Amino acid sequence: MSQITKTKGVKQEEKGGKPFYGEIDIPELVEGDLLIDVYAAPINPSDQYLIQGIYPEPRKFPGISGIEGSGKVIQAKGQNLQNLVGKNVAFTPKHNQTTGSYGEYAISTEKQVFVLPDNVDLFQGACTYINPFTVVYMLEKVKELGVKTVVHDVGSSALGKQMIKYFSENGVNVINIVRRQEQVEDLKQIGATYILNQSEEGFWERLTKLTQELNATIAFDAIGGEFTSKLIDAMPNHSHIFQYGILGGDLNVNYNTTDLLFKDKHLHGFWLVTEQQNASPEKAQKVIKECTSLVSKTLSSNIVKKFKFEQIEEALEYYSKNMSAGKVLLTKHA
Amino acid sequence: MSQITKTKGVKQEEKGGKPFYGEIDIPELVEGDLLIDVYAAPINPSDQYLIQGIYPEPRKFPGISGIEGSGKVIQAKGQNLQNLVGKNVAFTPKHNQTTGSYGEYAISTEKQVFVLPDNVDLFQGACTYINPFTVVYMLEKVKELGVKTVVHDVGSSALGKQMIKYFSENGVNVINIVRRQEQVEDLKQIGATYILNQSEEGFWERLTKLTQELNATIAFDAIGGEFTSKLIDAMPNHSHIFQYGILGGDLNVNYNTTDLLFKDKHLHGFWLVTEQQNASPEKAQKVIKECTSLVSKTLSSNIVKKFKFEQIEEALEYYSKNMSAGKVLLTKHA
């Protein structure tokens, strides 16, 4: 089979440039490369950051965007990779390359794919990497620190809903922070125990009281800015606050030194890339196994809308206005 | 021996109140208490914070200030404590009590004293707890994180000089930040290898370059405020920044989320009280042994001036103007 040489998809001329439907050449495969016929790819918050040019994943431009996806391996460069050809996989695109997941074809590598179970359809499979892996690595962190209750400040996000179910199955409580009353109802239906609406008066006092009562000494924060400053203040002594997103758009956080110095609070980031780099081979395998077995159950995503690559502008707008509804996919099968 | 009932010293009527030479009643000793005839007590940065009312150590008012000191145990309440009577000790005062170390007599407890070796004089012994213990616990932290070079931003402080010698003896390099040229000369004389003057142009670029080159991924920061913000920025990826003081007086620190999220930097406090609470009995014993054996050598203090309790105002002013000269003591033997 001669190599496919071009792919159409969501293209950017340079880092942070306006995304548009365009075409690029597919680079020649080198040893270790897998060529994937992409089935679908979701829009994640990190995809928004990548398109804006503030996500530090190394990519080449002009290139196709997109951080994760699903598809079929149609070509593999390397004798020991031939068993992957023809397999359906979840994947992340090869680093320092032009071919992201928002295209017809993408290049990945052996370590960046895993074979999807037969019972997972490829729309669902497209959302396997970022959210489920993040949630599973988060639970690993919670267990390492021996904590029984955590705070999550975007409770009604796609990731938040997976966290509620997965943490609950593993005996960890989540205090979910949401912004609107309908999100409270929504989370009750999927079994959330603690839900606080940040738009209600007295929210910060209630959060402070509840975290103390439940000794909730871990927070996963995806908002950032002033909200994070208040969250640091509201957490009990000896807490660990992990920033894993910046949905509020403000990169600056202010804290009071007494919170760290005398109250033993700790501020960290939480990034899947770092977690994967630091994971022992055993831990990495365990996480893959967990995600593979749960991706059509506890860690499944609610897919609300599919767009073609040509509709990227519309898709991004829809996503940013409906982030708690579920996952938005880009796919040639829309 | 009937109990001594009154003590004169540096008194405050209420938390944060103006300190003055005054007298208080000594509370009746209860089981576990030791009454100490205080020999001398140093002024530490934490003593300044205690007097200002921003140090969270629990004290009762009206009361005598002072966080550490030396003296002779003259009375002990409890059968198993009688062996301590007559011994010279370094001590910290009993919590939730009125009798700090800036008085003629102070109450302490068994766990808050250790017997001083015969070769340590009581002026030197007065400075055993805070600085040497802090430096030794800092090295424990450095070893736990497997780091070979650290940044210290008050290199010419009393603690900084102990750190240079003690860390060097244990194979750890220190990048010392100082504010004036004479401090550079001063630190060279005691064998410091890396000294950067923050008042020189290009300081931040040099610091950034040096921390990268030496992979210095720990910083001990005692300045706070905007300086700390810049320090966080200057540290390499995967760094841990420990705030242990607020000499700049500004409690607010601002950081950029990308430093935590994508660069894997971590922000912590470092407080002796927390370290001691978290230490295993073995570690606590090891630290005491280390401090006891080194307090007249590597971990000795340079005592520059002694004041009587009556001179507290003058003493505080002298200390705040000469913090890198050495230790200032309060003592009835001045």
Side-chain angles (χ1 to χ4, degrees):
Chain A
M1 174 178 163
S2 67
Q3 193 183 320
I4 293 156
T5 57
K6 291 188 183 292
T7 178
K8 286 183 176 169
V10 178
K11 183 175 173 182
Q12 287 178 292
E13 289 293 350
E14 69 279 312
K15 187 174 175 174
K18 186 176 162 60
F20 62 99
Y21 182 64
E23 189 177 63
I24 63 165
D25 292 333
I26 298 175
E28 201 172 327
L29 299 191
V30 299
E31 189 73 20
D33 281 0
L34 303 170
L35 186 64
I36 291 165
D37 181 354
V38 181
Y39 195 86
I43 304 179
N44 293 300
S46 43
D47 285 295
Q48 294 179 304
Y49 307 148
L50 182 66
I51 288 172
Q52 290 160 24
I54 58 170
Y55 192 76
E57 181 169 305
R59 290 290 178 95
K60 278 204 224 161
F61 294 92
I64 299 286
S65 200
I67 293 179
E68 70 168 334
S70 64
K72 188 192 289 287
V73 178
I74 54 171
Q75 214 173 330
K77 193 85 175 182
Q79 204 52 50
N80 61 336
L81 300 179
Q82 296 309 315
N83 62 326
L84 286 170
V85 176
K87 292 284 200 313
N88 286 331
V89 295
F91 74 97
T92 57
K94 187 178 182 184
H95 297 304
N96 280 311
Q97 196 43 285
T98 54
T99 52
S101 61
Y102 290 175
E104 299 166 297
Y105 302 97
I107 297 175
S108 184
T109 65
E110 185 189 7
K111 286 196 167 176
Q112 295 181 275
V113 306
F114 66 88
V115 175
L116 287 166
D118 290 339
N119 62 338
V120 178
D121 84 15
L122 289 180
F123 290 126
Q124 195 61 246
C127 312
T128 316
Y129 247 104
I130 307 295
N131 281 354
F133 270 67
T134 302
V135 170
V136 173
Y137 271 110
M138 281 173 166
L139 186 74
E140 289 292 310
K141 189 70 79 181
V142 173
K143 285 185 191 163
E144 278 163 29
L145 291 169
V147 171
K148 284 288 163 210
T149 305
V150 307
V151 174
H152 185 220
D153 64 8
V154 290
S156 71
S157 64
L159 185 147
K161 288 169 185 166
Q162 293 180 1
M163 183 190 282
I164 290 165
K165 294 184 228 165
Y166 182 63
F167 278 30
S168 163
E169 286 179 10
N170 286 277
V172 173
N173 293 311
V174 181
I175 299 173
N176 294 282
I177 299 173
V178 300
R179 287 192 298 174
R180 295 191 303 272
Q181 185 54 34
E182 68 259 34
Q183 294 170 330
V184 175
E185 303 306 327
D186 194 21
L187 293 198
K188 272 185 191 162
Q189 285 191 0
I190 62 166
T193 313
Y194 303 103
I195 313 167
L196 294 178
N197 184 344
Q198 65 180 92
S199 305
E200 282 180 5
E201 212 172 309
F203 161 73
W204 288 108
E205 291 74 16
R206 271 200 295 283
L207 178 65
T208 304
K209 191 159 171 281
L210 191 58
T211 56
Q212 299 278 350
E213 279 172 13
L214 299 174
N215 196 26
T217 51
I218 284 183
F220 291 110
D221 159 45
I223 297 179
E226 197 188 336
F227 190 91
T228 304
S229 297
K230 289 183 180 170
L231 180 63
I232 294 167
D233 191 49
M235 294 293 290
N237 288 8
H238 315 295
S239 286
H240 293 262
I241 294 96
F242 294 92
Q243 280 201 280
Y244 79 95
I246 38 175
L247 292 171
D250 183 357
L251 287 169
N252 292 303
V253 177
N254 198 74
Y255 69 87
N256 187 306
T257 296
T258 57
D259 270 327
L260 273 58
L261 180 46
F262 299 135
K263 298 181 183 173
D264 193 28
K265 300 183 190 178
H266 305 258
L267 311 182
H268 317 268
F270 189 92
W271 190 27
L272 186 53
V273 174
T274 308
E275 294 305 311
Q276 289 180 316
Q277 278 167 356
N278 293 345
S280 65
E282 297 73 35
K283 185 171 166 182
Q285 275 308 312
K286 182 182 157 193
V287 172
I288 289 178
K289 206 176 149 192
E290 189 83 344
C291 287
T292 312
S293 73
L294 294 177
V295 68
S296 54
K297 292 175 267 181
T298 311
L299 297 175
S300 67
S301 299
N302 178 32
I303 292 157
V304 290
K305 211 163 166 74
K306 297 164 194 159
F307 292 91
K308 289 191 180 298
F309 300 131
E310 293 90 322
Q311 300 169 287
I312 179 62
E313 203 168 335
E314 195 185 334
L316 286 170
E317 193 183 334
Y318 181 88
Y319 175 64
S320 64
K321 288 186 177 158
N322 298 277
M323 289 182 76
S324 58
K327 277 291 156 200
V328 170
L329 297 186
L330 292 167
T331 171
K332 56 191 173 195
H333 303 284
Chain B
M1 174 179 163
S2 67
Q3 193 183 320
I4 293 155
T5 58
K6 291 188 182 291
T7 178
K8 286 183 175 169
V10 177
K11 183 175 173 181
Q12 287 178 292
E13 288 293 350
E14 69 279 313
K15 187 174 174 173
K18 186 176 162 60
F20 63 99
Y21 182 64
E23 189 176 62
I24 64 165
D25 292 333
I26 298 174
E28 201 172 326
L29 299 191
V30 299
E31 189 73 20
D33 281 0
L34 303 170
L35 186 64
I36 291 165
D37 181 354
V38 181
Y39 195 86
I43 304 179
N44 293 301
S46 43
D47 285 295
Q48 293 179 304
Y49 307 148
L50 182 67
I51 288 172
Q52 289 161 25
I54 58 170
Y55 192 75
E57 181 168 306
R59 290 290 178 96
K60 277 204 223 161
F61 294 92
I64 299 286
S65 200
I67 293 179
E68 69 168 334
S70 64
K72 189 192 288 286
V73 178
I74 55 172
Q75 214 173 330
K77 192 84 174 183
Q79 204 51 50
N80 61 337
L81 300 180
Q82 296 309 315
N83 62 326
L84 287 170
V85 176
K87 292 284 202 311
N88 286 331
V89 295
F91 74 98
T92 56
K94 187 179 181 183
H95 297 304
N96 280 311
Q97 197 42 285
T98 55
T99 52
S101 61
Y102 290 176
E104 299 166 297
Y105 302 97
I107 297 175
S108 184
T109 65
E110 185 189 6
K111 285 195 167 176
Q112 295 181 276
V113 305
F114 66 88
V115 175
L116 287 166
D118 290 339
N119 61 339
V120 178
D121 84 15
L122 289 179
F123 290 125
Q124 195 61 247
C127 312
T128 315
Y129 247 105
I130 307 297
N131 281 354
F133 270 67
T134 302
V135 170
V136 173
Y137 271 110
M138 280 174 167
L139 186 73
E140 289 292 311
K141 189 70 79 183
V142 173
K143 285 185 192 163
E144 279 163 28
L145 291 169
V147 171
K148 284 288 164 208
T149 305
V150 307
V151 174
H152 185 220
D153 65 9
V154 290
S156 70
S157 64
L159 185 148
K161 288 168 185 167
Q162 293 180 0
M163 183 190 282
I164 290 165
K165 293 184 228 165
Y166 183 63
F167 278 30
S168 162
E169 286 179 10
N170 286 277
V172 174
N173 293 311
V174 182
I175 298 173
N176 294 281
I177 299 173
V178 300
R179 287 191 299 174
R180 295 191 303 272
Q181 186 54 34
E182 68 259 33
Q183 294 170 330
V184 175
E185 303 306 326
D186 194 21
L187 293 198
K188 272 185 191 163
Q189 285 191 1
I190 63 166
T193 313
Y194 304 103
I195 313 167
L196 294 178
N197 184 345
Q198 66 180 92
S199 304
E200 282 180 5
E201 211 172 309
F203 161 73
W204 288 107
E205 291 73 17
R206 271 200 296 282
L207 178 65
T208 304
K209 191 159 171 281
L210 191 57
T211 56
Q212 299 278 349
E213 279 173 13
L214 300 174
N215 196 26
T217 52
I218 284 183
F220 291 109
D221 159 45
I223 297 178
E226 197 188 336
F227 190 90
T228 304
S229 297
K230 289 183 180 169
L231 180 63
I232 294 167
D233 191 49
M235 294 294 289
N237 288 8
H238 314 295
S239 286
H240 293 262
I241 294 96
F242 294 92
Q243 280 200 280
Y244 79 95
I246 38 175
L247 292 171
D250 184 357
L251 287 170
N252 292 303
V253 177
N254 199 73
Y255 69 86
N256 187 306
T257 296
T258 57
D259 270 327
L260 273 58
L261 180 46
F262 299 135
K263 298 180 183 173
D264 193 29
K265 299 182 190 179
H266 305 258
L267 311 182
H268 316 268
F270 189 92
W271 190 28
L272 186 53
V273 174
T274 308
E275 294 306 310
Q276 289 180 316
Q277 278 167 355
N278 293 345
S280 65
E282 297 73 36
K283 185 171 165 182
Q285 275 308 313
K286 182 182 157 194
V287 171
I288 289 178
K289 206 176 148 192
E290 189 83 344
C291 287
T292 312
S293 73
L294 294 177
V295 68
S296 54
K297 292 176 267 182
T298 311
L299 297 175
S300 67
S301 299
N302 178 32
I303 293 157
V304 290
K305 210 163 167 74
K306 296 163 194 160
F307 292 91
K308 289 191 181 299
F309 300 132
E310 294 90 322
Q311 300 169 288
I312 179 62
E313 205 169 334
E314 196 185 333
L316 286 171
E317 193 183 334
Y318 181 88
Y319 175 64
S320 65
K321 287 186 178 160
N322 298 276
M323 289 182 76
S324 58
K327 277 290 155 200
V328 170
L329 297 185
L330 291 167
T331 171
K332 56 191 173 195
H333 303 284

